[in-house]
Amino acid sequence: MSFQDKVAIVTGGSRGIGRAIVQALAAGGAKVAFTYVQNKALADQVAQGDSVVAYQADVTSFEQAKELVKSVKEKFGRIDILVNNAGITRDKLILRMSEKDWDDVMDTNLKGAFNVSKPVVAAMVSQRSGTILNITSISGVVGMPGQVNYSSSKAGMIGFTKALAKEIAKANITVNALALGFVETDMTAVLNEEYRTKALAQIPLGRIGKPEDMAEVAMFLVSEKANYITGQVIQVDGGLAI
C-alpha cells in the first residue's frame, strides 16, 4: 500500500503494535514521526535517518504533545496521518486499584489521545485533509475484570472516535478506531501461563494476534482506499468479542 508523500505521527511507536505500524507506513513510503518516553536505545532501532524520526515526548503532557506536532509540521511541512497508539495498563481489581493506577491509565490512554489530536486536527483542518486512527481495545467494548481503568479509557476512546469523526468530517478528515484483542506484545508478555491459556480458549481463531496482523488493518484504514469510512470501530481480535 502506497503512502508516498504522506506524513504520519504514531504515538508509542518504539515497540509492539506501534512499532509494526511505523514500519508498515515507512515501507509504504511515508515520512513517519513516532514518540517514545524513556527507552532511546529501542527507539533508535526503529528510526531511519530523516524518513523515520523518533521524538521523546510524553503524551500525558499537553505542552509536550503540542511541541511534538509543531516540530513535525516544521520538519515535514504537513501531517496527513495520526495514529493514537500510546497506551499502558495497571491491571488490578477495583478494591486494590489506587487512584494513581486509575489516573496514570486515563492520562496516557485517553487524555493522551486528546492532547495529540487537538493540535493535529488544527493542522489537518487548515489543509482540508487527513486521517486519524485510534488504537483501542475489545476491553473497551465488552469490559474486562481487573481492568476497570483500562476498559474505561478504551471505551472513552471509542466515544472520542465517534464524536470527533462527526466534528471534522466536513473538513475531509476521517477518524476511525481499531479495537484489538490479545496481541503478542510486551504488555501481554507479563501474563501468566494460566491466564494466557484461558484467553486462548476464548478466541475462535485459536491463536493470539501478532502486531503485524494489527498493522495490516491499520494500513487500510489510514490509506486512501478507506476515504469513505469514518466513525467506525473495527474489531481485530480473532473473534474474541463475538
Side-chain angles (χ1 to χ4, degrees):
M1 208 166 289
S2 176
F3 295 98
Q4 203 68 40
D5 301 323
K6 300 292 185 182
V7 177
I9 294 177
V10 180
T11 65
S14 64
R15 58 186 181 175
I17 296 161
R19 181 174 184 154
I21 290 173
V22 168
Q23 291 174 332
L25 284 166
K31 305 289 187 184
V32 187
F34 71 92
T35 69
Y36 72 99
V37 178
Q38 292 179 326
N39 197 330
K40 185 177 185 301
L42 198 60
D44 287 344
Q45 293 175 14
V46 184
Q48 301 174 22
D50 285 336
S51 60
V52 181
V53 183
Y55 287 83
Q56 186 171 21
D58 185 346
V59 298
T60 67
S61 165
F62 181 71
E63 289 305 315
Q64 288 189 40
K66 189 167 65 171
E67 186 59 34
L68 162 72
V69 174
K70 179 183 175 184
S71 297
V72 173
K73 193 172 180 187
E74 286 176 351
K75 181 174 181 61
F76 294 117
R78 58 186 293 115
I79 300 168
D80 301 290
I81 298 164
L82 168 63
V83 180
N84 283 311
N85 169 73
I88 62 170
T89 57
R90 296 288 185 271
D91 293 355
K92 291 184 180 78
L93 296 175
I94 193 168
L95 292 177
R96 297 175 181 172
M97 187 176 291
S98 68
E99 182 181 10
K100 189 174 189 305
D101 291 330
W102 173 273
D103 289 345
D104 285 351
V105 170
M106 296 299 286
D107 285 350
T108 300
N109 299 3
L110 187 54
K111 188 186 175 189
F114 165 81
N115 287 345
V116 182
S117 295
K118 182 176 169 64
V120 165
V121 166
M124 288 181 173
V125 167
S126 68
Q127 68 195 29
R128 305 293 293 181
S129 67
T131 185
I132 297 172
L133 181 63
N134 298 316
I135 305 301
T136 181
S137 168
I138 60 151
S139 183
V141 177
V142 300
M144 291 290 180
Q147 291 193 322
V148 167
N149 49 3
Y150 187 75
S151 293
S152 297
S153 70
K154 293 303 187 178
M157 286 190 79
I158 291 171
F160 178 88
T161 297
K162 292 176 180 291
L164 185 58
K166 288 182 177 180
E167 279 190 23
I168 59 180
K170 289 183 179 178
N172 195 34
I173 304 166
T174 62
V175 188
N176 293 291
L178 288 185
L180 307 184
F182 285 98
V183 186
E184 292 285 5
T185 66
D186 293 348
M187 198 178 288
T188 56
V190 298
L191 299 175
N192 63 51
E193 198 58 39
E194 181 183 0
Y195 191 95
R196 289 171 67 89
T197 300
K198 287 181 179 178
L200 195 60
Q202 297 175 44
I203 302 172
L205 286 182
R207 66 179 179 87
I208 294 175
K210 299 176 182 177
E212 293 75 18
D213 297 328
M214 313 302 133
E216 287 293 333
V217 185
M219 291 308 97
F220 170 71
L221 286 175
V222 299
S223 75
E224 293 181 357
K225 294 180 183 295
N227 63 13
Y228 199 57
I229 301 173
T230 197
Q232 302 305 303
V233 182
I234 309 300
Q235 294 178 192
V236 189
D237 62 359
L240 178 59
I242 293 174

